[in-house]
Structures are given as C-alpha cells and as structure tokens.
Amino acid sequence: MTYDQDKNLILVVDDTPTNLSVISQALHNAGFTVAVETDGESAIEQVNYNQPDLILLDVMMPGIDGFETCKRLKATGQTHLN
C-alpha cells in the first residue's frame, strides 16, 4: 500500500491487535493517514518505503522491543533527527 506523505502519515507499531484497532480508528477518524505494523522489524522496513511524520511505538513487543526499534531508526540517516 502506498501512503500520501502530505496526509500526515502516522505509523502505529504494537503487537496487540485491539490496541492497533482502537488507535488506528481514532487517528483515521481525526483525518490522519495510518499505517500499522505488529513488530519492530516490520516497522523499520515500512519506514524505508513510507517515511511517516510520526511513529507511535509500543515498547514491549516480541522480537526486537520498542527501545531497540527506536535505536535502530535513530541510527539511520533517513529517520535520524538532530
């Protein structure tokens, strides 16, 4: 799926389907474009194709946790902010 960067893309990363559903629906109803991922590895991959304006990241996930995901995202030139 391709996302329009001009529509305030928010990436929601959480391994709990209920959380993803509730947060995504609320953001969508507020007029945001929402992308969802269920783990850190997928979130990193998603960011390589569709850079979001904001990432809402769960810290307790299987595989790499949210802290490690954040660390890896900050280490890349595409998502690093000074």
Side-chain angles (χ1 to χ4, degrees):
M1 181 181 277
T2 303
Y3 300 97
D4 184 354
Q5 292 295 317
D6 295 330
K7 291 191 176 189
N8 300 312
L9 177 62
I10 299 176
L11 174 59
V12 181
V13 186
D14 198 313
D15 62 319
T16 306
T18 302
N19 293 348
L20 284 175
S21 178
V22 170
I23 294 168
S24 298
Q25 189 62 46
L27 292 170
H28 179 74
N29 290 345
F32 294 99
T33 301
V34 180
V36 298
E37 293 296 345
T38 58
D39 60 68
E41 292 92 348
S42 298
I44 293 168
E45 186 175 324
Q46 174 72 245
V47 168
N48 289 330
Y49 294 102
N50 299 300
Q51 190 169 7
D53 297 296
L54 176 70
I55 300 173
L56 299 178
L57 181 61
D58 182 16
V59 295
M60 304 263 314
M61 295 184 295
I64 61 171
D65 65 18
F67 295 114
E68 180 64 24
T69 301
C70 184
K71 181 179 174 182
R72 290 184 189 185
L73 287 168
K74 289 174 74 174
T76 66
Q78 186 178 4
T79 56
H80 175 76
L81 295 175
N82 292 325

